[in-house]
Amino acid sequence: MAVLDNIQPKEVFRFFEELCQIPHGTFNTKRISDYCVRFAEERGLDCTQDEVNNVIIRKPGTEGYEDSEPVILQGHMDMVCEKRPGCSHDFSKDPLKLAVKDGYVMAKDTTLGGDDGIAIAMAMAILDSKDIPHPPIEAVFTVDEEQGMEGAMAIDLSGLKGRKLLNIDSEEEGILTTGCAGGFLCETAIPLTKESHDGAVAQVRIHGLKGGHSGAEIHQQRGNAHKMMGRLLNEMKEEFPFFLISIDGGSKDNVIAMECTARLLVEKDAAGKVSEKAKEMKAVWDHEFMGDEPGLAVDVSMAEAEKTMDVCDGKTTGRAISYLVICPNGVQGLARKLPGLVETSLNIGVIKTEEDSIKVNALVRSSVESQKEMMKRQMQSCAELAGAKIEISGEYPAWQYDPDSELRKVMEEAFQELYGKKPIVSAIHAGLECGLFLGKRPDLDCVSFGPDLLDIHSFNERLGIDSTERTWNFLKAVLARLK
C-alpha cells in the first residue's frame, strides 16, 4: 500500500506519490518529463515535449464547455534537493521516502518537492478526470524553474490558445498572488594568488542554521552562514594573522546558506585563539538571534599538524574577507504601497574556492526594475573594491499587478462562495514563471495560488493535507466558473 493512499484528495495524492518516486532535482528532469509524456499518451491526450523537456498536454473541455476558451494550468517539474546533514539520500537515483505526520506530508530527512510537485499532481488529476467540469485544458509543465527558470525561458507559448493562466506555485492557502519580483544571478570571482607558508591547519565550520527560501523567507532575517563567516574571519584577523586556504558552503543560489566551512593556515600556537574567537562570536550571534537560530553551531578543529603548504596570499585573504563583510545580503528595501512586502533583496547562496578564484554566487530580487539595476551597480562596486569581476546571468522580469484581471475576479468570487470570506490578493518577493510568460505573451491573465507549504527548500519542507484538499476544491470551483 502506498504511503498516501488513505488521505484526501486521493486523486491528487496518487499522482503526487508517483512523482515522488522519480528523481527530479533541477537539471535532472528528463525522467519526470518522460513520465508526463507517457501519462498523456496512455490517456490519448495531445502532448508535446520540447528539446529542453518542457511538456504541454491538451485536453478537450467537458460537456457544455467544449467551445469555452482554454485554461492554462501551469507548474514546474523540478524540485530543490536539500537533505539533513548525514543523510545518505542520493537525489540522482533514490525515490523520496514519504511520511504523514501531524496533518502534513513530508519526506524523511530531505526536501519534499511539494514545490512544485503538487501543481503537476493537481493538473494530472484534472487531465485524468472523467467527471470534473472544465473548459479545454492546456497543462504546461516546465523544467529547471528553481535555478534560473530555464524551462520558462526556453518554452514556446505561441501554440497556446488559452489566455487565462492558473499558476499553482504559491505556498500559502487563501492568498491569490498577482505579482512577483524579477531577479538575476550574480557571480563574483575574486582572483586567487597562492604562496607557500608554514603553519597549522584550522578548520572553522558554521552550521545548523535554519536556511530556507531566499525569497519567501528572506524577511525572517535567518542567519546566512557566508555573511557570518566573513564577520568571524574579520574579527579573527584583527587579533592574529592567518592565511585562507579555502572557503566553501551553500547549496543553491536561492537557498539561504545553512553552512560554511573555512580552512585557515595559522601559527602553531594560534589554535586556542581561533577557538576562543569562534566561541565569542557564537555567543554574540545567540544574543542577536534571540532564539531564532537554536541549532547554530560554530566548530573549530585542527585538521592537520604544522606543515608547509600553498595558501591564499595575504592580499587574496584580505580581499575575500572584506568582500564578505561589505557585500549586501538580506532585505534591501520594503514595498511602499504593499505593507510588509519585501521590494528588494539579495542572498549570498554559494561560495566555492577554485584553483584560480573564489566564486561567490548571489541571487538578487526586486519588484522595481530601477532598484534591480541599482543592485547591479552596487554588486559591481563591491567587486571592484575586492579586485574582483562579476558576471550577471539568468535575468528575469518582474510580474506587475493587473487591476483589470478577469481571472482574479472569478477566483475571488469562487473563494468567497466556498469559504464565506474574501481571499487575500497580494504579490510575493519570490520569482514566479508568470513574469517570463507575460514577456512572451503580454495578453495572458495570470494568477498564482497553492496549498500551505512550510519550510520549502529545506529538509523540513511539509505540505498541509487539509489545505491541499481545500485548494483542490477551489481549483475545481474556479474551472467550473470559466465557461
Side-chain angles (χ1 to χ4, degrees):
M1 185 176 71
V3 175
L4 307 184
D5 267 356
N6 294 322
I7 60 176
Q8 296 289 347
K10 286 189 175 183
E11 59 267 59
V12 173
F13 281 116
R14 166 196 165 193
F15 291 115
F16 184 74
E17 187 154 11
E18 288 185 13
L19 293 166
C20 290
Q21 304 312 300
I22 307 168
H24 56 283
T26 306
F27 309 130
N28 182 33
T29 51
K30 174 60 174 169
R31 281 170 287 185
I32 200 165
S33 176
D34 290 345
Y35 164 82
C36 293
V37 172
R38 288 194 302 273
F39 166 90
E41 291 174 345
E42 289 168 359
R43 289 155 180 81
L45 301 176
D46 179 70
C47 178
T48 57
Q49 181 184 44
D50 67 19
E51 60 183 13
V52 302
N53 296 315
N54 293 312
V55 174
I56 298 177
I57 303 174
R58 296 173 176 84
K59 180 186 179 185
T62 56
E63 183 178 355
Y65 291 80
E66 298 92 339
D67 298 326
S68 300
E69 179 185 313
V71 174
I72 303 166
L73 299 181
Q74 193 271 321
H76 61 86
M77 291 180 271
D78 63 315
M79 64 174 284
V80 168
C81 297
E82 286 290 327
K83 59 185 179 181
R84 193 180 299 277
C87 174
S88 61
H89 184 89
D90 185 343
F91 282 103
S92 70
K93 62 181 182 181
D94 295 339
L96 299 176
K97 297 178 180 178
L98 300 183
V100 176
K101 183 179 179 181
D102 299 331
Y104 292 93
V105 176
M106 59 193 69
K108 183 180 179 182
D109 296 330
T110 69
T111 39
L112 173 65
D115 174 18
D116 194 22
I118 197 60
I120 309 301
M122 286 190 179
M124 283 184 163
I126 294 292
L127 294 169
D128 185 60
S129 69
K130 301 292 192 297
D131 57 356
I132 298 174
H134 62 74
I137 299 294
E138 295 174 319
V140 177
F141 302 155
T142 51
V143 298
D144 305 336
E145 185 268 355
E146 296 292 0
Q147 293 191 54
M149 301 192 188
E150 295 191 7
M153 285 187 174
I155 198 167
D156 180 3
L157 301 179
S158 61
L160 295 182
K161 296 180 180 179
R163 192 181 66 83
K164 295 180 175 65
L165 187 150
L166 292 166
N167 169 275
I168 313 173
D169 192 18
S170 291
E171 292 87 36
E172 190 171 353
E173 182 192 353
I175 294 179
L176 304 183
T177 300
T178 56
C180 71
F184 62 86
L185 299 174
C186 178
E187 180 181 84
T188 302
I190 303 169
L192 188 158
T193 302
K194 292 184 177 181
E195 58 188 22
S196 184
H197 286 279
D198 298 333
V201 178
Q203 178 171 289
V204 182
R205 179 173 174 241
I206 297 173
H207 61 104
L209 295 164
K210 286 182 178 179
H213 189 288
S214 69
E217 291 161 320
I218 199 73
H219 64 287
Q220 296 187 20
Q221 302 186 88
R222 293 180 177 177
N224 182 299
H226 304 323
K227 284 293 289 186
M228 294 166 69
M229 183 63 78
R231 183 177 175 185
L232 173 58
L233 296 180
N234 194 52
E235 291 288 328
M236 288 181 178
K237 77 180 181 66
E238 295 298 318
E239 298 191 14
F240 54 88
F242 62 85
F243 296 97
L244 185 65
I245 301 171
S246 64
I247 180 168
D248 299 276
S251 57
K252 304 286 188 305
D253 301 320
N254 61 352
V255 175
I256 300 169
M258 295 176 278
E259 182 171 337
C260 184
T261 299
R263 296 175 67 238
L264 316 174
L265 190 74
V266 300
E267 296 177 352
K268 63 180 181 180
D269 59 352
K273 297 179 182 178
V274 176
S275 296
E276 185 60 31
K277 183 54 66 176
K279 183 178 179 180
E280 289 177 12
M281 283 308 304
K282 167 66 163 58
V284 169
W285 286 323
D286 284 341
H287 174 73
E288 292 177 348
F289 285 124
M290 303 177 68
D292 284 348
E293 291 285 4
L296 169 63
V298 186
D299 300 334
V300 176
S301 60
M302 298 308 295
E304 299 175 26
E306 185 175 7
K307 60 185 295 185
T308 301
M309 63 186 302
D310 290 336
V311 298
C312 297
D313 66 4
K315 182 176 287 188
T316 301
T317 297
R319 284 176 170 175
I321 295 171
S322 294
Y323 180 81
L324 290 178
V325 170
I326 66 173
C327 181
N329 184 76
V331 176
Q332 302 299 303
L334 298 175
R336 297 183 184 276
K337 299 299 182 181
L338 292 171
L341 179 68
V342 177
E343 175 194 271
T344 305
S345 75
L346 181 144
N347 178 64
I348 303 176
V350 180
I351 295 180
K352 185 177 182 180
T353 301
E354 300 185 346
E355 186 63 31
D356 60 353
S357 65
I358 297 172
K359 297 284 182 64
V360 183
N361 292 341
L363 176 58
V364 174
R365 305 178 194 265
S366 184
S367 55
V368 178
E369 288 297 314
S370 59
Q371 286 292 307
K372 196 169 69 170
E373 290 301 313
M374 184 274 291
M375 290 301 298
K376 289 181 185 176
R377 306 292 186 272
Q378 190 169 350
M379 296 299 287
Q380 180 63 50
S381 295
C382 289
E384 289 174 356
L385 288 172
K389 295 182 178 179
I390 68 169
E391 181 177 332
I392 303 298
S393 64
E395 188 164 2
Y396 56 94
W399 165 25
Q400 301 261 335
Y401 172 78
D402 178 6
D404 300 318
S405 167
E406 296 176 9
L407 179 58
R408 187 193 70 247
K409 294 173 184 176
V410 169
M411 296 179 74
E412 287 183 277
E413 291 170 358
F415 194 92
Q416 176 81 40
E417 183 176 300
L418 279 174
Y419 304 116
K421 61 181 180 179
K422 292 183 178 180
I424 297 170
V425 177
S426 184
I428 63 168
H429 186 58
L432 287 171
E433 291 166 299
C434 296
L436 284 169
F437 294 149
L438 283 161
K440 297 170 184 280
R441 284 274 307 275
D443 63 324
L444 289 176
D445 186 356
C446 305
V447 176
S448 181
F449 68 105
D452 289 339
L453 270 166
L454 281 63
D455 293 322
I456 62 171
H457 296 189
S458 81
F459 50 75
N460 292 316
E461 182 186 359
R462 53 205 186 276
L463 169 65
I465 295 170
D466 290 346
S467 178
T468 299
E469 183 170 20
R470 288 190 296 269
T471 302
W472 169 242
N473 291 333
F474 175 54
L475 171 60
K476 291 188 291 182
V478 170
L479 292 176
R481 285 172 171 264
L482 295 173
K483 194 169 185 177

